[in-house]
Amino acid sequence: MPLVNFRDVADNAGPRLRPGLLYRSARPTGLTAAELAAAAPGLRCVVDLRGPDERTAADWAAADALGATVLNLPGQGSPTDLAALPPGTTLGGLYTLLLDHRAAWFASVVAELADRLPAVVSCAAGKDRTGLTVALVLDLVGVGRADIIRDYTATAAAMPEVLAALELAPANGVAADARYAEAAAVGGLLDAPEDALTAFLDALAERGGAERLLTRHGLTDDHVVRLRAALAA
């Protein structure tokens, strides 16, 4: 199927989450309307977190054909230049930086989901911007820490396919372009390691959890109530 790293978040996030409402994915390639309808029945929205230079108008044509809304929310949840990060930055450290410096953007993304389920959240790999957004939603609706981590780390098995689709996988030990070296310099960025999300969740807890953090940055109490009513089993 042309959806890489695609899944219903409820498959891994435990019994506290209703299935068939929140999906996550890497970017699509040659996706048809029939394939998308079968993967995400009743889809109302695709929230695409990639920047303009990462996407084309045809990427989510299948969603348009189904009458679903496609929201392009530029990927402010990821640095535009990995090379500008301090040497030795780990993926968990990067996630904590995003939590501190992109909280308003995450709040705006979560707010869009409140009235648009069933929805697919997607970015280039379906791992970092998507993974942190989903983790925040899960924390917000009361999913346990172990289940949030389980959903995130489920991406690890898909990473070879993801890297190949993004043309980041080295062939015969030689990287396709300089982006691989920049990504590899951030410890864990080319994988989905548990310790990266653990660091993120630790930082989130220190800041009072998703509800406190996001409502301080634009998410409303009504958004929270609607998300919990829709998603919490």
Side-chain angles (χ1 to χ4, degrees), residues 66-165:
L66 294 176
T69 300
V70 179
L71 295 177
N72 294 315
L73 303 180
Q76 296 177 28
S78 181
T80 57
D81 187 0
L82 292 174
L85 291 169
T89 299
T90 64
L91 187 56
L94 173 58
Y95 286 175
T96 301
L97 286 173
L98 295 176
L99 191 63
D100 285 336
H101 297 286
R102 295 291 185 263
W105 179 76
F106 282 119
S108 70
V109 175
V110 174
E112 292 289 358
L113 291 170
D115 294 313
R116 298 180 185 274
L117 301 172
V120 174
V121 182
S122 176
C123 62
K127 177 176 79 78
D128 302 308
R129 289 164 285 187
T130 294
L132 299 189
T133 298
V134 169
L136 288 166
V137 170
L138 295 180
D139 184 81
L140 189 68
V141 302
V143 172
R145 181 185 178 99
D147 291 329
I148 297 174
I149 293 172
R150 183 180 302 110
D151 173 67
Y152 172 85
T153 56
T155 287
M159 285 308 296
E161 190 176 5
V162 167
L163 294 176

Side-chain angles (χ1 to χ4, degrees), residues 10-26:
D11 288 347
N12 294 292
R16 297 289 301 271
L17 197 72
R18 290 177 178 160
L21 292 172
L22 183 62
Y23 301 89
R24 55 184 295 170
S25 176

